[in-house]
Amino acid sequence: MLRKQCVKVTAPDALRNLSTSCALRAAQESKKKRTSKKDASEVNYGALSKAQKAFLDRLIRVDQAGELGANYIYNGQHTVLASRYPHLRPVLQHMWDQEVHHHNTFNRLQTQRRVRPSLLTPLWKLGAFGMGAGTSLLSKEAAMACTVAVETVIGNHYNQQLRVLMNQYNVPVYDKKTGEPLDASQIKSSAECSPEISQLKELVSQFRDEELEHLDTAIEHDAEKAVPYILLTEAIKLVCKGAIWTAERV
Amino acid sequence: MFRTSTLRSVLPRIKLSSGGLYRSYHSQDHLGSNNIINKNSVESRVFTKALEFIPEKGFTKECIYKAVRELQYSDSLLSIFSNSTVGISLEFQLVLFWLKYQRQRLLTYVESNPSFFEISGEENRVTHLIQKRLEFNEPVIGKLSGAISQLIIPYHVDKSLEELHNLSDDVAFYSNDQSNDFSWYSKRFGLSTIYASSEVYMLQDNSPKFRSTHSFVEEKVSNMYQLGEAYNSFEEWTLFNAMSTVNLIKSQWHRG
């Protein structure tokens, strides 16, 4: 086991170093390195490329529009269902509140980061309220099926965004004092990515989890008993994908 | 590192989302992502020098020729500008650079004057910034009509509108605009209209220190904000009435 570790640490070096002292030395060295690793406050991050900025721009715009839509869907559901089925009221209210929080968060990001909101916001508001209220008028199961469809699409979309944020945002990092470029071994893993990007990642993954929670809630409340379940969910999924495509661009 | 093609291939010709019509994403932690002018490029060095000659020579090629000579660059440098991929004339490049340079100055002004943020009310901050930007016109006021006549040539209109909207986006952002929906567009459109009309007004203003231009700006901005308020009140009133109508019908329905 000791051998294995040693090979791992000094792999590029010659194999003659396979000894106990080598392992110790390696351990010491790595300790030294760890203490001198820089954290986020000691480094500067290089500029984002045009494409990286464009992606963030789109991400915030589409997520803002999406959360606006979700907010209005639950608004529509709440309007129709809350008085008919009092036992659903706290469930809907809880999901609605979370969506309002998501929406406010992205609103704040949109103004802070100078992102253009979607031009079609009035349309998203109307459409989303209509979708929420319309499916609720069909039946409470249909409303839950609508939630299932919407949250599935949103969850997938958040996951796609996270993949890009994880892979494509490795900007050069510089030492704040000397201005020298640093490589990955000289910085703490938490500082490899700027706070701006890592906060965004955390936000997106937290929101994704909450959206998927809503999905589970909807299934617990008999979403699958909606009569043309497949038809309803697939149609709504299609509409949502179309809306996402549009909101990213317009 | 970042596969540009996959992101941009879908709609490569629409410039709306990145650096096109409006300023794109504003980074907080990545230094240098938000610069308007790259100060280290040869082009910007030459054009910055050329700006000094505008009060004397107007927005003409002469300024650029003189700048190239003063900076002791070779005259062949001019062919790089005139054959550049943008395909616009030297004079218009100078005009565009001048506009960008003034936006950079406005940013520097906002960043170096903490007192600006103490002005209360978005409306007052907007007025202050537009007036400030108009003050930057003062040294070249005699030559400004030359620049404007270039900006309104139909062939140039897309670029000049882009700069105008960039300016109004800057003004809205520095004044801490919080609009999240369609009002984002109406506000910027309104600011662009105000700026353009004030600049034209300023050309014919003979009052000392351009006082009447300043009061013109104040009036226009306050009109815009009043209009915004009126619209919001109308929307609130309509929503309230729609909801109470629904409730009225419901209660009558239940009474039978």
Side-chain angles (χ1 to χ4, degrees):
Chain A
M1 201 186 130
L2 196 60
R3 269 184 148 200
K4 222 170 163 186
Q5 209 179 16
C6 182
V7 172
K8 209 170 158 194
V9 175
T10 58
D13 291 359
L15 285 168
R16 67 187 149 81
N17 282 340
L18 294 175
S19 66
T20 330
S21 61
C22 156
L24 281 173
R25 222 184 307 133
Q28 269 175 348
E29 250 170 48
S30 74
K31 205 174 173 185
K32 220 199 269 169
K33 258 187 186 168
R34 208 178 304 137
T35 47
S36 66
K37 279 185 176 183
K38 312 251 183 237
D39 70 6
S41 63
E42 295 169 283
V43 297
N44 279 335
Y45 294 94
L48 293 173
S49 76
K50 222 174 176 182
Q52 284 171 324
K53 278 167 74 175
F55 179 79
L56 290 172
D57 192 61
R58 273 186 176 195
L59 182 147
I60 291 178
R61 174 163 47 255
V62 71
D63 289 354
Q64 185 197 26
E67 295 299 350
L68 171 100
N71 181 354
Y72 276 76
I73 288 176
Y74 286 109
N75 187 346
Q77 290 185 354
H78 193 270
T79 314
V80 177
L81 293 178
S83 54
R84 289 193 197 173
Y85 303 99
H87 70 283
L88 283 181
R89 186 194 285 260
V91 179
L92 289 172
Q93 189 67 49
H94 173 70
M95 298 199 282
W96 188 13
D97 288 345
Q98 282 186 332
E99 297 297 353
V100 169
H101 169 66
H102 298 175
H103 186 205
N104 289 340
T105 311
F106 275 112
N107 276 350
R108 207 188 62 238
L109 276 177
Q110 179 250 316
T111 46
Q112 261 179 11
R113 311 276 161 90
R114 299 186 79 161
V115 174
R116 175 176 67 84
S118 173
L119 181 63
L120 304 173
T121 28
L123 179 74
W124 305 139
K125 283 184 191 172
L126 263 177
F129 187 85
M131 195 149 91
T135 48
S136 310
L137 284 171
L138 284 178
S139 67
K140 69 177 173 36
E141 287 80 17
M144 292 301 168
C146 169
T147 307
V148 169
V150 172
E151 303 294 13
T152 311
V153 176
I154 294 186
N156 279 334
H157 186 239
Y158 274 151
N159 268 335
Q160 275 174 7
Q161 294 182 336
L162 274 178
R163 262 173 232 136
V164 178
L165 286 179
M166 294 285 178
N167 292 332
Q168 310 278 10
Y169 282 83
N170 306 317
V171 293
V173 181
Y174 304 97
D175 193 312
K176 205 170 225 170
K177 279 179 203 145
T178 59
E180 306 231 327
L182 300 169
D183 63 20
S185 61
Q186 291 166 295
I187 35 181
K188 285 185 184 159
S189 63
S190 64
E192 274 172 20
C193 188
S194 64
E196 180 180 339
I197 301 292
S198 48
Q199 277 164 15
L200 194 63
K201 274 193 244 173
E202 272 166 37
L203 211 67
V204 171
S205 60
Q206 182 207 335
F207 288 180
R208 177 209 47 201
D209 293 345
E210 285 173 3
E211 304 294 357
L212 296 179
E213 223 177 272
H214 298 174
L215 177 69
D216 292 343
T217 317
I219 289 180
E220 278 164 27
H221 287 86
D222 308 330
E224 280 159 340
K225 285 185 190 156
V227 176
Y229 177 71
I230 299 290
L231 194 68
L232 209 59
T233 46
E234 291 307 315
I236 293 173
K237 276 182 196 171
L238 213 65
V239 171
C240 290
K241 281 178 191 160
I244 287 178
W245 192 90
T246 319
E248 277 180 341
R249 290 163 178 83
V250 187
Chain B
M1 179 179 63
F2 196 89
R3 293 212 313 278
T4 327
S5 53
T6 50
L7 275 173
R8 304 284 301 152
S9 62
V10 194
L11 279 180
R13 283 181 199 287
I14 292 190
K15 282 168 68 189
L16 266 175
S17 55
S18 87
L21 261 180
Y22 302 100
R23 276 285 288 290
S24 68
Y25 186 84
H26 177 85
S27 176
Q28 293 178 313
D29 291 334
H30 297 265
L31 300 176
S33 302
N34 310 317
N35 287 345
I36 299 172
I37 292 176
N38 175 11
K39 279 187 181 145
N40 299 322
S41 75
V42 176
E43 194 182 355
S44 75
R45 246 180 274 160
V46 171
F47 278 95
T48 312
K49 191 78 189 167
L51 295 183
E52 290 172 18
F53 310 122
I54 290 178
E56 177 199 342
K57 295 180 183 293
F59 289 85
T60 54
K61 286 179 201 163
E62 309 292 317
C63 301
I64 301 172
Y65 295 159
K66 203 169 169 190
V68 168
R69 258 165 237 149
E70 291 239 334
L71 291 172
Q72 296 181 336
Y73 283 121
S74 146
D75 277 356
S76 59
L77 191 66
L78 284 168
S79 66
I80 296 173
F81 298 141
S82 45
N83 293 329
S84 67
T85 46
V86 277
I88 46 178
S89 65
L90 273 177
E91 291 96 334
F92 190 55
Q93 284 183 50
L94 182 64
V95 174
L96 282 180
F97 185 82
W98 184 75
L99 293 174
K100 288 202 172 78
Y101 188 82
Q102 306 308 327
R103 279 206 295 129
Q104 182 81 55
R105 267 177 84 188
L106 200 64
L107 172 64
T108 320
Y109 169 77
V110 170
E111 279 174 344
S112 54
N113 278 291
S115 61
F116 167 72
F117 295 101
E118 285 161 20
I119 302 175
S120 65
E122 192 189 321
E123 187 185 328
N124 298 329
R125 286 192 294 266
V126 165
T127 314
H128 181 82
L129 280 181
I130 294 183
Q131 286 171 345
K132 200 77 210 165
R133 172 64 186 79
L134 287 170
E135 271 173 31
F136 297 159
N137 286 345
E138 282 173 18
V140 297
I141 190 71
K143 310 287 180 188
L144 195 60
S145 56
I148 291 178
S149 60
Q150 298 226 33
L151 287 167
I152 55 172
I153 293 173
Y155 183 64
H156 292 158
V157 158
D158 60 334
K159 291 205 171 58
S160 38
L161 277 183
E162 184 180 323
E163 265 312 301
L164 180 63
H165 289 308
N166 281 339
L167 173 66
S168 49
D169 187 41
D170 281 354
V171 169
F173 179 68
Y174 305 148
S175 324
N176 196 16
D177 164 44
Q178 295 292 327
S179 41
N180 300 113
D181 45 16
F182 199 80
S183 56
W184 190 94
Y185 293 90
S186 31
K187 187 171 272 174
R188 276 147 186 79
F189 185 72
L191 290 177
S192 299
T193 317
I194 291 172
Y195 181 75
S197 55
S198 318
E199 203 171 63
V200 173
Y201 186 96
M202 191 183 184
L203 285 179
Q204 304 180 347
D205 184 7
N206 294 320
S207 59
K209 286 191 171 178
F210 297 96
R211 260 186 225 128
S212 28
T213 307
H214 284 211
S215 52
F216 181 83
V217 174
E218 268 163 39
E219 194 191 315
K220 291 281 168 187
V221 173
S222 91
N223 281 348
M224 186 182 92
Y225 277 86
Q226 271 172 19
L227 196 71
E229 238 168 72
Y231 175 78
N232 283 340
S233 323
F234 172 74
E235 199 180 57
E236 208 179 317
W237 177 83
T238 324
L239 259 179
F240 171 77
N241 276 290
M243 269 155 82
S244 47
T245 317
V246 169
N247 287 332
L248 188 74
I249 295 172
K250 259 174 148 179
S251 70
Q252 293 297 321
W253 186 278
H254 284 296
R255 277 175 67 190

